[in-house]
DNA sequence: TTGAAAGCGCTAACAG
DNA sequence: CTGTTAGCGCTTTCAA
């Protein structure tokens, strides 16, 4: 493997000059520099960041640690947002998957002396437990942590917007399929649903509230239960998009048509929601933006600049499609 | 930041003993070792892999470089397969996204002196150009490269299996919506389709062959064209699942029912294909397995063991669901 | 504008 | 079983 010393030897220069040609080019005479760069290219030289990091004690690599078995849509959009931001500042992001790891991912980040860590959890309060880093600046996305900085989505505002919209187009009989009890996102969404119902002076009917584990299958079962009642709602809200697939199935089984006979709305704006038939009304998770904010916050911590907010809450957007309609 | 020398000082030991306690524990007396480990914990010590790598010239980090703007399903399953394999061997994978990077990802891998690189391309022959690494062992997934080792999927076998199945359930009039011409996957799939038609002594009717850019919208248009013909096929095969969404839409627009009036089949077995209505018949891309093979191949290269096959072709599986039926 | 030399934290050969 | 020491490749004083 070629080193600056190899280049120096070839050119009869000192290693310091070669080093400077790369890190402080203006300190090296034009012609010498040209020579060095050329020779380096020819020899296939690449700076050894390992060595330079040991010397400088500073890394330009940020870890995005994903707590899910599959990285998928959640990490993906988050990454894009974060990436765009950090690249402007000369950093790069590498993604680690904490699921099933032999050595915990946080330790890997620490041992590699990465510049900082972004932790991404899909479910507030439910993902794998993860060691907190005492060594590296960390920000948490969709996870509450006492010590770090938390970037959260405004689930209450999201459901609130959705409910207002449904109310405004005439819905009064609203069914709800919640996520699991131990997910904070789920709890917030459900509570907001109930709160809004009270606000509208509408009864919260227990038989119209079901619960699932975020999965299509659970929701199909749940929707079947609700639809088999003597009276059922004019709209079914599910706590995430995935469950709406099951809701669509149950509705179809009953010979009804989504968006005509009964409305459906979800949450997350996952990619396939636009491809459903009919396309699903939902609330977006502002992942791209959360990624950017996470990145900005992390870089501020890394560079030890200003005081940073403990919590930043980002609002999603109501996306109206054909699965909901006026009654 | 605490170092072995800090621990050594606290304990009145030499740094070598402390170092050994971590890397060659059997060389250190039981009690001394216990002491060291305890003190290290107490002080929050984490080995500085940067320093130890500089010394050892060996890394345990493998880079998975994704060439797509979004990592999504493709990289995701690949990663899971590769991860499972390398973790057994004490390696860890970090994912880099090459899209829009300021510094090319391969250079980053080289500069960080990672152990090796897995390059993941979604489309044979179409993704971003990427520098080849002269420094690090590399394997390519779904990308042909002269120098590296290539892990490919058997598109010909996949389409072949699908066609045999369609033929066996009575289909003789088969339409095809191809992907773009400059994607090798697409070309192989299309050519296999034609070859099979000839094999069955069936005419390849040009008006029943359309082309799209892998997108649902293109395929909707394409399917509309085919369905507006005086005579149309009993089954539409699209070169990927994503396009089947558009095919479903076009069929529905015409008042027909997928799986009853006309059959549809795709390719890739992307996650949502099972959630389509009706669930889509398709051919799986064996990404998990390809990930494992890529990992195994790469580790063999890294450890310089046996001779390695230049190309490994992995066969996907025909997945029969309700979108196709006997005519 | 260039060179000599120290040192980042760690490992391993060598000596005890 | 433990300590001393050289050196991995780089950056950065300091001196020329």
């Amino acid at each position: 493997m070629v080193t600056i010393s190899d280049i120096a030897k070839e050119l009869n220069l000192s290693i310091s000059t070669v080093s400077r040609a790369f890190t402080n080019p203006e300190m090296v005479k034009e012609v010498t520099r040209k020579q060095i760069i050329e020779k380096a290219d020819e020899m296939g030289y690449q700076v050894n960041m390992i060595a330079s990091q040991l010397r400088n004690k500073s890394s330009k690599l940020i870890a995005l640690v994903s707590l899910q078995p599959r990285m998928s849509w959640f990490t993906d959009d988050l990454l894009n947002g974060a990436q765009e931001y950090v690249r402007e500042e000369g950093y790069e992001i590498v993604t680690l998957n904490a699921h099933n790891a032999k050595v915990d991912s946080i330790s890997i980040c620490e041992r590699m002396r990465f510049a900082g860590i972004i932790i991404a959890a899909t479910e507030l309060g439910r993902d794998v437990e993860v060691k907190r880093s005492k060594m590296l600046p960390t920000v948490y996305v969709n996870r509450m942590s006492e010590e770090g900085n938390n970037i959260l989505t405004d689930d209450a505002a999201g459901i609130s917007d959705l409910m207002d919209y449904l109310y405004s187009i005439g819905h009064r009989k609203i069914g709800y399929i919640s996520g699991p009890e131990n997910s904070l996102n789920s709890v917030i969404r459900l509570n907001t649903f109930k709160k809004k119902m009270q606000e509208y002076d509408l009864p919260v009917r227990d038989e119209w509230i079901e619960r699932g584990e975020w999965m299509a299958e659970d929701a199909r079962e749940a929707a079947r239960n609700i639809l088999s009642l003597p009276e059922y709602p004019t709209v079914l809200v599910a706590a995430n998009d995935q469950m709406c697939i099951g809701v669509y199935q149950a509705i179809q089984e009953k010979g009804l048509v989504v968006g005509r006979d009964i409305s459906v709305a979800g949450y997350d704006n996952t990619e396939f929601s636009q491809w459903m038939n009919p396309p699903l009304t939902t609330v977006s998770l502002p992942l791209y933006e959360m990624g950017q904010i996470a990145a900005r916050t992390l870089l501020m911590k890394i560079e030890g600049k200003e005081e940073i907010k403990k919590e930043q809450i980002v609002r999603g957007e109501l996306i109206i499609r054909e699965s909901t309609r006026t009654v």
Side-chain angles (χ1 to χ4, degrees), chain A:
Chain A
M1 197 136 310
V2 21
T3 69
I4 46 171
S5 135
D6 297 329
I7 300 177
K9 238 169 264 165
E10 288 281 319
L11 261 30
N12 272 318
L13 287 166
S14 73
I15 56 167
S16 350
T17 307
V18 178
S19 170
R20 276 191 284 256
F22 296 110
T23 42
N24 289 92
E26 70 286 357
M27 295 181 70
V28 177
K29 213 206 313 176
E30 176 82 22
V31 296
T32 328
R33 192 176 66 224
K34 282 241 170 86
Q35 238 186 109
I36 294 175
I37 304 292
E38 200 176 324
K39 184 57 87 180
D41 257 27
E42 184 193 317
M43 300 176 73
Y45 172 75
Q46 284 282 9
V47 197
N48 186 337
M49 287 303 295
I50 297 303
S52 90
Q53 222 180 276
L54 177 59
R55 174 63 224 236
N56 286 334
K57 291 147 164 295
S58 99
S59 161
K60 287 291 189 183
L61 245 36
I62 287 169
L64 175 65
V65 175
S66 156
L67 269 27
Q68 295 77 49
R70 335 193 80 248
M71 318 242 275
S72 68
W73 61 281
F74 192 95
T75 319
D76 206 32
D77 279 336
L78 202 65
L79 174 65
N80 278 314
Q83 212 155 46
E84 199 206 50
Y85 191 92
V86 304
R87 280 174 174 169
E88 287 304 318
E89 310 291 322
Y91 288 81
E92 209 12 268
I93 296 191
V94 303
T95 310
L96 303 221
N97 190 315
H99 197 257
N100 281 338
K102 301 251 155 171
V103 185
D104 82 275
S105 305
I106 301 301
S107 293
I108 292 180
C109 298
E110 293 181 338
R111 306 223 257 258
M112 290 303 297
R113 301 293 193 266
F114 287 152
I117 305 175
I118 297 173
I119 299 209
T122 41
E123 288 185 73
L124 213 44
R126 280 235 310 176
D127 295 275
V128 200
E129 223 12 81
V130 70
K131 195 183 114 179
R132 110 170 181 64
S133 174
K134 294 196 208 298
M135 191 183 282
L136 304 180
T138 308
V139 322
Y140 297 80
V141 175
N142 206 39
R143 169 169 280 242
M144 291 300 290
S145 152
E146 293 302 319
E147 319 86 4
N149 297 77
N150 308 309
I151 318 293
L152 302 166
T153 172
D154 197 340
D155 287 312
I159 290 291
S160 203
D161 289 349
L162 175 60
M163 292 292 286
D164 284 344
Y165 159 69
L166 293 175
Y167 189 87
S168 78
I169 59 171
H171 290 279
R172 297 296 178 267
K173 300 194 274 180
I174 307 179
Y176 190 84
I177 301 174
S178 170
E181 281 177 305
N182 50 358
S183 153
L184 258 180
N185 297 101
S186 163
V187 171
I188 294 171
R189 290 174 195 180
L190 176 60
N191 288 347
T192 309
F193 163 76
K194 290 182 179 164
K195 202 186 103 226
K196 292 301 283 188
M197 290 297 275
Q198 282 161 10
E199 201 177 303
Y200 305 137
D201 261 327
L202 259 25
V204 174
R205 295 171 58 166
D206 278 349
E207 71 275 24
W208 286 358
I209 298 186
E210 289 271 342
R211 193 183 299 279
E213 282 284 327
W214 297 126
M215 307 299 296
E217 292 83 350
D218 311 336
R220 182 172 49 204
E221 203 52 41
R224 277 182 189 146
N225 292 343
I226 296 177
L227 294 175
S228 65
L229 262 18
E231 188 193 25
Y232 54 79
T234 56
V235 57
L236 286 173
V237 175
N240 76 346
D241 290 351
Q242 184 70 25
M243 293 203 291
C244 291
I245 292 167
V247 175
Y248 273 39
Q249 290 170 341
I251 289 172
Q252 205 194 4
E253 278 168 19
K254 214 173 145 74
L256 302 176
V257 174
V258 177
R260 189 190 68 187
D261 305 320
I262 182 166
S263 294
V264 178
Y267 205 108
D268 285 350
N269 191 31
T270 43
E271 202 189 358
F272 67 80
S273 66
Q274 66 184 301
W275 303 119
M276 290 173 71
N277 180 16
L280 182 70
T281 292
T282 187
V283 178
S284 71
L285 226 49
L287 291 166
Y288 188 89
E289 198 186 341
M290 290 169 87
Q292 296 207 54
I293 294 176
R296 176 156 45 82
T297 307
L298 185 58
L299 292 195
M300 280 165 65
K301 289 186 87 161
I302 290 171
E303 281 155 17
K305 299 250 169 69
E306 315 89 295
E307 219 19 61
I308 308 160
K309 278 171 262 160
K310 283 303 287 173
E311 254 166 52
Q312 293 174 79
I313 299 177
V314 192
R315 205 175 165 125
E317 195 185 344
L318 176 63
I319 294 169
I320 299 171
R321 300 208 187 92
E322 289 80 67
S323 68
T324 46
R325 76 177 232 185
T326 308
V327 286

